[in-house]
Amino acid sequence: MKVSEALRQFRLQKLRNDLACLFWAGTSSALAVLLILLSVESIFWLSPAVRYGMWWITLLTAVGVVLAAGAVVVQVKRQRIRRYSLEKCATEVGAAAFPRRDDVINAVQLEQSLQDDRNSSASLTRQFIEQISSRLFSLSPTEVLKNGRVKQLRQITVIISVLIMIVTLSFLPEFMASARHWIHPGTSFDPPHPFRIVNLTGDIYMMGGDSTSFTFEVEGEAPDSIVLELKSVEGETHIRLGSNEQGYFKYDMGEVFQNLEYRALVQADHFWERWKEISSATHSIAVIDRPTIENFSVTITPPEYTGLGKNVQEGNVAEIRGLVGSTVDVALTSDNDIARGFLNTFSRENEEKSKVNLDVRSNRAEGQLTIIDELFFTSHIFNYRKIGNLDPIKYRILPIQDAFPSIEVLMPASVTELGSDFSIPVQLHIQDDFGFSHLQIAYEMERPEYVGATNRVSVRAIPTISNEITSQDVFYIWDLSALDLMPEDEVQFHFELYDNDQVSGPKKSLSKEFTARFPSLADLFARTEEGEEMLEEDLSKILQGLEEINRSIEDTELKLLKAESLEWEDRQAVQKSVDEVKNKLEEVKLLQDAINDIMEQAGKHNLFSNDLMEKFKRLNELLQDVITPEMVESMAELQDSMDEMTADQLMKALKDFQQNTESMEVQIDRFIDIFRRIRAEQKLDELSVRLTNLSDQQEELADQISQGNVSENGGRLLSQQERNSEELARLADLMEETAEAMAPYAQMPSGELEMLAQSSTMEEVSDEMNKSERALNRGDLSGATNPAASAAAGSEILEQEVAIIAEKFSSETAVAMAERFEKILRNTLFISKEQEQLRLDTSDLSRNSPRLGQMASRQQMLRDQLSQLISILMSLSRETFAVTPELGKAIGSATVGMNESLTRLEERRGPESARQQGEIVKALNEAAVATLAAMEQIRQSGSASGFEQFLERMRQMAQSQEGINVQTFQLALGQMAAVSQEQLMQRLRNDQSQLKKSLDELIREMKGSGQGGDRLDGIAGEMEEVIRNFERRQVSRRTVELQQRILTRMLDAQKSLKQQDMSEKRRAITAGDFKHEGPDGLPSDLGQRRNLAIEALNRAMKGGYPRDYQAMIRRYFNSLAESEDLIDENTDENRQ
Amino acid sequence: MRTASRISIIIIFNFASAQIPGEVPLLNQGQDRFRQAIQLERIGELEAAEGIYRELLNANPKDTRVFLQIKALYRKQNRYDDLRELLLNRVTIFKRDLQSHIELGELIMLSDERERAIHYWKALRLQFGETRSIYFMLTQMYLKHSLDEELDQLVVAGRDAFDDPAFLSLELGNIHMRNLDYAAATEQYIIYASYHPEQIRTSSIQILRMSDRDESYEKIEATLVRKMAFDERTVRSLYSDFLFKIQKYPEAYNQHSALGVSNQQDFERWIRFAENLRKEHRLNLALRSYSYLLNQTRQSSHGLNEGLRKRFTGEALYGLALTYELQITPGEQWSPLAEFFPGNAFFEDHLMTLQSVEVQPLEETFALYDSILISLPSTIFPPQAHFRMGEIKYKITRDFDGAISSFHKAATSAKDAKLKLAANLRLADLLMAKGDFPSAEDHLNQTLSVNNQQKERHSLEFKLCQIHFFHGNVEEALQLVDSLLVSLELDDPLFNDVLELKGFIEENYLRGDQITKDAFQGYILAERLLRQGKRTEAASFYRSVSEAYPDSPVADEAAFRRAKLTVELGEYDNALEQLALIRNSPIGDLATVMTGEIYDRLLHNSEEAAIWYFKVLEEYPASLLTEPVRYRLREITTEGELN
């Protein structure tokens, strides 16, 4: 009998014991879990998922337990679990049933050792094993291994069961429900709700864009608010709603454009509440779509005459502005195909509606409106279900009226005196928003009453305007010579400007009325003279004032010498002097305007010769030179720091100031001298002009008398004869005056003129005129014929006599002047040669030569001689303008050079001085050349031939150029055979080259004479380019243009020398007379729109550029003004 | 990035340019603000100018141009506070702007804080002491504010600092010179020359300038003598210059002798010295110098190579010959004030009167030129010698054929273009003098045909013009004159002569009638005779012109020329009578001056001369001769008083 076998019973017992314990423990746990589950469910109303999950967990746990139990059994059998091993059992049994607790275990071990043959005393061992084994068999496993815990556990289980019973009974309904829930884990059970939300609206069907509302009612304990849940494809929206007074929960949905689901709900406030939310049933809103306008655009097309482009405006701007006559194209696209559509138009006043059908294509529709008055319109479209778009936008069309054109007359002034050329320079600034159609002068001629002619209105179109340019300056010379005006005739005129409005018809603006008068020659001369006398008087006053100032400064200087400081009164006196000089300077500036007026007057009426005009121009320049920077500086110095100056400084400043005022005095003196000389010449000019005029008029009168009819023209002829007689008498006086004015400059011609005034010819002419007058008075035309003709012949003789005297005067004075220049030339060359000799002598000297001092003395001598020459030149410059700035500059350089040379000599730097002297020689030679040119000029102008020759040559060259231009133009047209072209090109090249040569020659002659040779250089350059084009066989449009420009410049050069050109500078003076008489409502910012460009233009025009440059400048600024207008327009459009 | 911005700028510029028509002036668009400010300043608008300067300086604080302008403006207005602020800003930006630093010190000085200013400047010297500029600038400042003591300290410090004993010596010398401290100045100049031998010329010039004052002689000389031991060669050189300048020629010669001859530089110095003596007409000393040089070249080589030895020998011989040449005709003691076309090469009378010729020097001269031809055949000197001999034969001995031969040799052998040209021109003169105008014309045309040098061609054309003129072809002469005036530069020596001639021909021929033209031809004939040395005949022609054509414009000129010839012939009374006839003519001033000069220089009647001179001053105040007459009058009046 084996111990181990005996022990197996015990082991089994032990296993039973453990299983019993496990059972009871498991039971009580299961009951507890059951109780918990029931309780939880009854409280929380777990979701099916939870419950279901619990089920699963329980099942899995059970399976796990079974598997674990199987595994434990196997392990037990294999004795892998120590608790159930034989040794453990042996130990426990030994402890429980044997006196020595280790007997059993020992027996087990011995038995094992027997099996291994390791025990040497097997018998003893077996005996012992037998003993133990039998003992073990005798024992009851149940007894030995008592299971006390089972009882305990059973009691616990019972207790728990009792408790569960009690609880279950207490909450039986809940537990019942809970048990049902657990039994049906997949079923959802609604917990009991405190209230119910009822949707009173239900499902909704509506048109897209319509609005709707929902109403909910709560049954039961109503919460204070509920949540409205709107669910669309895009997501959910929650809106909290409060109840109204009736206890309903309402919500206005507004426009709905898409399908929605909605419900109302209330969510539990606490997590333990059985319900998470109480919700109404979910309902839906089904939207039926309306057509909508997705894109809306308006294209405004202004009338064609405006030249404006189309303007596209998007539909988001409800105000559409456009010029009257513009078309408004409406284009829209819808989200649906459109079946039909129309624009509903109505006015503000009567709201009367009219429809404009739209052209429909697929989902697009188009329609057109014309802007005439203010208008509103809405767009309506319908889909094929005849459903229309909702709430169309109301668009407003605002018509913009085409503004009246505006006309600003910058020239002429209100009253214009016509000159000998019978032309009125017109400068207008015209503006319109879209251009012009016509500009004209409406005029009416008014003759004196005795003529008896009827007045009638005529118009003259001004062709030079551009119809497109909206703001332009119009320059136009209105030639009235065709009107056959007589002295005292008047022309009343105004300007009429039409815009290019083709919709409402061209609108017209009128300027104010202007008058042009044709004055008599005597009046004109008298007026000019009056101006000159005033000028001379003013100058004398200025001179007098300056003398007084100088005296005052001298007094102050004396005081300063004595006192070494100035009293307050003295300082005040100095201050006063400075102020007075300032005033004088201002007065001098004003005098320049006076000269300008004289020149303008004389130029306009061709009162003076070209030469005289040139002299007046130079006089004005001379007046400008009176105000020197040094003078200004010395005044500023005295004024600014008189108080801070020491006595010496003050003395120096006073001296400077005095010097400057003295120099101003000298300048003014010079001016007066030259002015007097010019006035003498002017008088002679006047005499000549008026005599010529008288002679012509008398001749014409004689003709008219010989052919005339007493009844028609008797009164007028008599009046003319009277006027001629009167003029002759005045001319006799003028001859005396002129002779007197000429006397200081040329004795002989002066005497001759005086004699002529008292000559028998004068008397005869006067007698014949009287005879004619008497005969006309009697109405005896035939009796007047002979005396009138004799008077005409006598007048012509007088005219010739005066012309001879004028010629003599001119040549005599010119010869005298030329001789003086000759002397200057000699002197200049004398100094130049002396200087050259000195240079030779100096360059050869060593630094230690005692003769260097002598050289310095010689240089000093030359400097003194040059000073002497300068003073001669200065005095000469008081009499003539021929002392040119070039001459002055050269002499100035020589003076500076001499000073430098002297310094070098003093520093014993002979070679350096010699180099400097070379420069002096150069400057002196330059001065000599300038003097020679001045002489030439005097001789030419003296004989009046040189200048005329120049003009004649220029005229001939211009003619040649014109010929070349015509042929080149033909060439450029390309209508000739190749061979002919080649030949013509060759010929034109030669002609152009020849012309250039002639021009070069002329330029060379003109250089230095100060008569505009420089301005011809530009023409030569352009000719050069034309010749190059011919050489390269590239005759293009550019070549033609170049040639045209050459011609223009030639004519211009001719004109600018011949006649005082229409000076923009002078015109600008009359701009102040402008008074606008445009229609009401014209833009008030008219001045601003003329803008900076126009002002800059005015400045540029005053810059003294030749006429073709002026034209270019004008074009340039016009284009600038144009671009600015465009900008303005764009801005307006943007505003729309 | 930079390239992109550059391209943008170019595009913008092009675009902007395209907006403006090329030929339209820019209407002051490009008006430089700076220039505008300067203009404003000039016309006294100082505030406006300052505003612009400020604006510009704010935009670019480193703009020195604006800085200087505004600085000057503040200085002018004595606005020291603004100036101080400006300078402080400047030195903040340019830390080493010494001038501004120093000017800041000056502002302290101007605010009456002398000591502080001195201290400030000293501090500056210490701060920027490594540069010499600070010393120069401070010197100016100390000088300006009369800080003599500080100036001395500065000089000492500078010399120590740069280990340069001559530092600031030139500046100090100039300062002493300005203060009329001649001795101190001379001493400083000596120091400067001694330590900067290459700059000895500068020192010499300064000493010579000082010696313009008579009272300085003694002190300068004493100092030079005293400092002789300091640097003998330098001091002797300076001393010799000084002595030469104060016309102590023998003493100057002694100094040169003391310096001796030992190398090439010494030879060159002697050549220059001898030449200067000759130029000053110290002919004996010049001869001595040249002889001394010749001896030296013969005695020893002095380290010279053969080429140099020959050169110096040639120069000495040539110089010697020129000196003898000067001895042949004693130079005029006075230059006449009243001249006919003075200095005009066209009317230059080359021939000298034979009465005053010295025979011995003439022989010596020829001998010397011969010796050059013999001893230095392959050098540059023989053509020169030929030319000089030609000149003597033409001008003095009037051996026209001999002269032609010499000039011909000179023209053919000369390598120097100038000499060749001069010889050719002289050949034309000689042919004219012989009355052979066609040959003269041929000769010039031939020379012109082989000459491409513009300048030389001008001289030849000028001579050709002269030939045409004196030959009576006035129109051709005028054509040449016009063509020359177009091609000649303004500073060409011939320009004024040609211009004068043009005026003369136009006035007396071109603008006149036939009578005037005849008179002018007569005048030309007289001039031609003068060229041939036929003075009496010329005078006779002048007379016939003035008497036969009294109303012609050239009559007065002819009378004047005749009077001049009459003077040359020694007929003073006749001359005076002739001059009296033209005193009321346009050349009355010339006639009156010449009358005075006859009394003054030839008849030695100062009182009468003074009367005539006074007459010039009174009656012809506009004449250019008044100034020289006034000088002369003062001279004779003073002489009279002294006597």
Side-chain angles (χ1 to χ4, degrees), chain A residues 245-308:
Chain A
E245 286 173 357
Q246 288 81 35
Y248 294 113
F249 295 85
K250 283 193 80 169
Y251 177 66
D252 290 322
M253 182 65 185
E255 292 165 347
V256 182
F257 295 96
Q258 58 178 333
N259 293 344
L260 292 173
E261 285 184 344
Y262 74 99
R263 64 181 179 123
L265 58 95
V266 174
Q267 285 182 323
D269 292 335
H270 310 290
F271 75 92
W272 60 81
E273 289 192 56
R274 289 174 186 164
W275 49 277
K276 295 296 169 214
E277 66 172 30
I278 298 169
S279 167
S280 69
T282 300
H283 289 275
S284 63
I285 302 172
V287 175
I288 301 162
D289 286 342
R290 275 177 183 278
T292 56
I293 296 172
E294 286 187 329
N295 290 310
F296 184 93
S297 70
V298 173
T299 306
I300 305 142
T301 312
E304 200 181 338
Y305 77 88
T306 63
L308 297 176

Side-chain angles (χ1 to χ4, degrees), chain A residues 821-837 862 865-866 869 873 887 891 898 920-932 935, chain B residues 341-345 347 481 485 490 492-507 624:
Chain A
F821 268 94
E822 222 161 73
K823 188 88 181 161
I824 285 173
L825 177 67
R826 276 192 183 200
N827 285 347
T828 311
L829 289 171
F830 172 83
I831 299 173
S832 165
K833 285 184 296 173
E834 287 291 313
Q835 187 67 62
E836 198 181 298
Q837 189 55 51
L862 285 173
Q865 285 174 323
L866 186 64
L869 181 66
L873 271 171
L887 178 55
I891 293 284
M898 284 188 181
I920 300 169
V921 171
K922 193 176 169 183
L924 286 168
N925 288 348
E926 211 173 326
V929 171
T931 312
L932 201 65
M935 274 164 64
Chain B
F341 287 138
N344 193 324
F347 296 101
V481 161
L485 278 177
L490 278 173
D492 194 295
L494 293 176
F495 188 89
N496 43 25
D497 295 345
V498 176
L499 198 61
E500 196 168 42
L501 183 66
K502 180 183 164 70
F504 186 59
I505 296 174
E506 283 186 350
E507 184 189 346
L624 284 192

